[in-house]
Amino acid sequence: MKALVLSGGSGTRLRPITHTSAKQLVPVANKPILFYVLESIAATGITDVGIVVGHTAQEIQDAVGDGSSFGLDVTYISQAQPLGLAHAVRISRDYLGDDDFVMYLGDNFIIDGIEDLVERFRDERPDAQILLTRVPDPRAFGVAVLDEQGRVVGLEEKPEHPRSDLALAGVYFFTPLVHEAVQAVKPSWRGELEITDSIQYLIDSGADVRSQIISGYWKDTGNVTDILEVNRIILEGIETSVEGEVDEASQIIGRVVVESGARITGSRIVGPARIGAGTEIHDSYIGPFTSVAENCRVFDSELEFSIMMRESSVIGIRRIEASLIGRHVHGTSVPRVPNAHRLVLGDHSTFQISS
């Protein structure tokens, strides 16, 4: 059994971060999202992994290499344009051969992993198996409709009027029969070859298509809000580890990781939080659910519920929260501008001014 990881796409919902960086490499808890995907695949015993890459191919290859650091053998498959998930399967035909495979979207996060799911697919071996999760607004996802016995009877891609609240969770299991399906479908109204149409083709052809509703945590990390939420979830599970330097004037409260080479002086770190190697934090406050990557500087500032990517700095900024700060970003405070308020107030007035 092989794995196919999709790491193309332009990441428009994460701009401006994705103007210069692959969305799959945005770090949560100081590790790229794609790395969690590859670790999850490695945990199943699968070793052969094809990674479909687009215009950020070189960055993905530089980060992952040959896959040996994950215990994997990685092959890169070039997709010139993001023409849909079924198109990604089409261009991967030679690599996949006649093997069963799991297709995993490289910007999706499933906290419980996929080991049990792979085992179930291997044991039962339906023609296709999809993961579903209930979402409050299914219009942004592929949506599945089940019959009374729980069998998949219909699929729609980003429907305006969804017929259920069951969204496809970004992990699919296929036998080689899917290659016939992806060749048969035509581009959708979005101009893409949809995997939902391909699975619908299998259903209409009488294939055995099964589903499993996952109850654990899942996120499509396509926007800043979801990235920060996944960062929060991962940080919830860390244990305190202080390998860097923390002076006597600093406070470490709760579960905090201070990586080797980091220096904390005159600061207060309230966990869960992670401070990357080589980072300096001076006279500052780092609040809960914050990840500061390697070689950053936070001086005389406050940072909470945020992600700061590598080699960035904030100096003299009183408060930053719910923020995603890219690589090599440098922020400073501006001098206070003198100001005055001119008032004409009647007797017995009450007023408030922010000053």
Side-chain angles (χ1 to χ4, degrees):
M1 188 171 180
K2 292 178 179 175
L4 188 66
V5 176
L6 306 193
S7 294
S10 55
T12 54
R13 291 179 293 161
L14 274 173
R15 288 178 180 167
I17 296 291
T18 49
H19 279 308
T20 53
S21 177
K23 64 178 179 177
Q24 297 84 6
L25 295 181
V26 173
V28 288
N30 290 0
K31 184 163 65 177
I33 295 163
L34 178 60
F35 286 17
Y36 293 98
V37 171
L38 296 177
E39 289 169 355
S40 180
I41 290 169
T44 69
I46 294 172
T47 56
D48 294 327
V49 178
I51 301 182
V52 178
V53 292
H55 71 284
T56 59
Q58 191 59 56
E59 188 180 13
I60 298 287
Q61 291 179 47
D62 289 346
V64 176
D66 63 2
S68 58
S69 61
F70 301 93
L72 303 172
D73 182 8
V74 167
T75 298
Y76 294 96
I77 302 162
S78 179
Q79 186 182 35
Q81 292 181 300
L83 297 177
L85 304 188
H87 180 261
V89 176
R90 269 193 190 184
I91 65 172
S92 303
R93 181 67 174 93
D94 289 343
Y95 172 76
L96 294 168
D98 290 326
D99 292 316
D100 295 348
F101 66 98
V102 54
M103 183 169 74
Y104 202 138
L105 306 191
D107 57 355
N108 275 226
F109 181 82
I110 298 176
I111 198 167
D112 295 329
I114 61 170
E115 292 174 68
D116 292 343
L117 302 168
V118 168
E119 184 176 348
R120 176 185 172 186
F121 178 74
R122 282 172 165 155
D123 289 343
E124 301 178 2
R125 201 169 180 266
D127 296 311
Q129 180 174 307
I130 60 177
L131 295 193
L132 304 174
T133 185
R134 297 193 185 279
V135 296
D137 185 1
R139 290 176 297 175
F141 304 96
V143 176
V145 179
L146 308 183
D147 65 14
E148 293 180 356
Q149 286 73 43
R151 293 173 299 195
V152 184
V153 294
L155 293 165
E156 299 176 286
E157 186 63 34
K158 297 179 173 60
E160 182 63 29
H161 303 288
R163 291 187 289 158
S164 86
D165 63 350
L166 292 170
L168 278 72
V171 177
Y172 310 79
F173 298 88
F174 295 115
T175 65
L177 189 61
V178 74
H179 297 299
E180 175 188 328
V182 299
Q183 289 295 333
V185 297
K186 304 297 182 185
S188 68
W189 62 271
R190 301 194 305 157
E192 296 187 4
L193 296 172
E194 310 287 4
I195 199 66
T196 45
D197 291 342
S198 303
I199 299 170
Q200 185 67 56
Y201 175 92
L202 292 175
I203 294 169
D204 295 342
S205 301
D208 182 7
V209 177
R210 303 183 189 179
S211 67
Q212 182 165 341
I213 300 174
I214 58 173
S215 56
Y217 185 83
W218 166 83
K219 274 290 181 184
D220 169 8
T221 58
N223 58 53
V224 172
T225 299
D226 290 337
I227 288 277
L228 293 174
E229 176 65 10
V230 171
N231 189 63
R232 181 188 70 81
I233 288 292
I234 296 174
L235 289 177
E236 285 276 21
I238 67 171
E239 299 295 335
T240 297
S241 173
V242 180
E243 297 183 2
E245 300 178 31
V246 180
D247 73 353
E248 294 182 355
S250 296
Q251 289 182 295
I252 302 293
I253 301 170
R255 288 167 288 120
V256 175
V257 173
V258 181
E259 297 177 12
S260 177
R263 295 181 59 207
I264 315 294
T265 58
S267 298
R268 189 168 184 253
I269 316 293
V270 179
R274 190 174 192 106
I275 310 301
T279 286
E280 295 183 57
I281 297 177
H282 178 70
D283 287 346
S284 295
Y285 166 76
I286 304 296
F289 310 118
T290 300
S291 297
V292 182
E294 66 272 19
N295 300 318
C296 292
R297 294 193 304 159
V298 181
F299 291 179
D300 191 28
S301 299
E302 298 179 4
L303 188 63
E304 183 167 307
F305 189 56
S306 294
I307 295 172
M308 177 182 283
M309 296 168 64
R310 60 181 172 84
E311 298 177 28
S312 293
S313 66
V314 289
I315 298 174
I317 299 179
R318 188 178 68 176
R319 186 76 173 179
I320 297 173
E321 61 182 29
S323 298
L324 176 59
I325 299 170
R327 302 170 298 179
H328 304 282
V329 172
H330 303 291
T332 59
S333 62
V334 297
R336 287 184 68 91
V337 178
N339 59 71
H341 304 282
R342 180 175 181 270
L343 306 173
V344 178
L345 302 171
D347 295 345
H348 308 294
S349 295
T350 299
F351 69 95
Q352 293 179 317
I353 293 177
S354 176
S355 59

